[in-house]
Amino acid sequence: VRNGIPVAAFPFRRTKSDVLVFVGRMDPEKGVVEAIDVAQRAGLPLQIAARMHGAAEEEFFAEQVRPRLSSSIEYVGELGHENKAALLGGAEALLFPIDWEEPFGLVLAEAAACGTPVVATRRGSVPELVEDGATGFVVDSPAEMPAAIARLGELDRSAIRASAEERFAPARMMGAYVDAYELLLEERIGPR
């Protein structure tokens, strides 16, 4: 059962800027440093929206991220819903170079709701959530991301939004739970 999101709360924008975004936690396994490298290799600016809670995340930011900030690599902080939706909606793509087995990744669904493609590494739930070649690109390593970014023009942003409406709407999630419960009941007590 995929998590549902309020798709309508993420406005669709057909026109995008030439800015890449990273949205997540300020943690090495989330891939913010790799996102910086990818944006620089792709020759595009990057806006980083990341929550930073606790000493370990603050230290990681101070040592690994802050020294790399520039006029084209910007840390915008932790954003509330409205600002996050605006950031995702205006982006050329969301970079998601994770280095762990991500169990879901709500930001992938949120980007799709905005019609924004995702370029992500093949870890955890990514291959289930990003339709390679349709809603974004799934790659085996961050080194492959600049080539995927060069192909973003092949993707239909309206189709990305439509996919989010179909796959991540709350009604879809609730229906999947009902189906799962009915299946469980049939296994436990037999068909109705």
Side-chain angles (χ1 to χ4, degrees), residues 115-127:
T116 299
V118 174
V119 179
T121 48
R122 188 181 320 277
R123 297 292 302 268
S125 64
V126 166

Side-chain angles (χ1 to χ4, degrees), residues 132-161:
D132 190 45
T135 65
F137 295 104
V138 179
V139 298
D140 291 318
S141 73
E144 298 173 17
M145 287 182 152
I149 291 166
R151 297 180 54 208
L152 289 171
E154 299 172 15
L155 304 178
D156 178 346
R157 294 179 188 278
S158 296
I160 295 170
R161 170 62 178 227

Side-chain angles (χ1 to χ4, degrees), residues 10-16 89 112-116 157-161:
F10 291 88
F12 171 72
R13 285 184 43 192
R14 189 171 309 282
T15 57
K16 308 291 180 174
C114 295
T116 299
R157 294 179 188 278
S158 296
I160 295 170
R161 170 62 178 227

Side-chain angles (χ1 to χ4, degrees), residues 26 52 54-67:
M26 190 60 68
M52 191 168 20
E57 291 180 357
E58 290 172 10
E59 183 178 327
F60 172 71
F61 175 76
E63 292 177 4
Q64 301 295 319
V65 178
R66 181 179 287 138

Side-chain angles (χ1 to χ4, degrees), residues 2-190:
R2 292 187 187 109
N3 287 342
I5 63 163
V7 176
F10 291 88
F12 171 72
R13 285 184 43 192
R14 189 171 309 282
T15 57
K16 308 291 180 174
S17 64
D18 288 335
V19 173
L20 302 170
V21 297
F22 171 91
V23 178
R25 284 184 293 115
M26 190 60 68
D27 187 287
E29 67 186 9
K30 289 292 196 171
V32 65
V33 170
E34 290 78 5
I36 293 169
D37 291 340
V38 168
Q40 289 174 329
R41 287 196 322 267
L44 292 171
L46 175 68
Q47 292 187 329
I48 301 165
R51 69 180 173 100
M52 191 168 20
H53 298 186
E57 291 180 357
E58 290 172 10
E59 183 178 327
F60 172 71
F61 175 76
E63 292 177 4
Q64 301 295 319
V65 178
R66 181 179 287 138
R68 306 209 42 210
L69 299 179
S70 66
S71 61
S72 64
I73 307 295
E74 180 184 5
Y75 175 62
V76 298
E78 182 176 359
L79 302 179
H81 171 76
E82 199 170 294
N83 289 329
K84 179 172 66 168
L87 180 75
L88 287 169
E92 181 71 18
L94 169 71
L95 299 182
F96 201 71
I98 58 169
D99 189 26
W100 77 297
E101 300 308 315
E102 179 77 50
F104 185 78
L106 284 173
V107 72
L108 302 176
E110 293 167 347
C114 295
T116 299
V118 174
V119 179
T121 48
R122 188 181 320 277
R123 297 292 302 268
S125 64
V126 166
E128 179 184 344
L129 302 176
V130 179
E131 298 170 274
D132 190 45
T135 65
F137 295 104
V138 179
V139 298
D140 291 318
S141 73
E144 298 173 17
M145 287 182 152
I149 291 166
R151 297 180 54 208
L152 289 171
E154 299 172 15
L155 304 178
D156 178 346
R157 294 179 188 278
S158 296
I160 295 170
R161 170 62 178 227
S163 175
E165 290 169 340
E166 178 186 324
R167 299 169 70 219
F168 303 119
R172 173 73 180 237
M173 177 188 68
M174 289 182 285
Y177 273 116
V178 168
D179 292 346
Y181 292 140
E182 287 177 349
L183 181 62
L184 181 62
L185 286 172
E186 284 180 19
E187 290 176 0
R188 298 286 175 155
I189 59 174

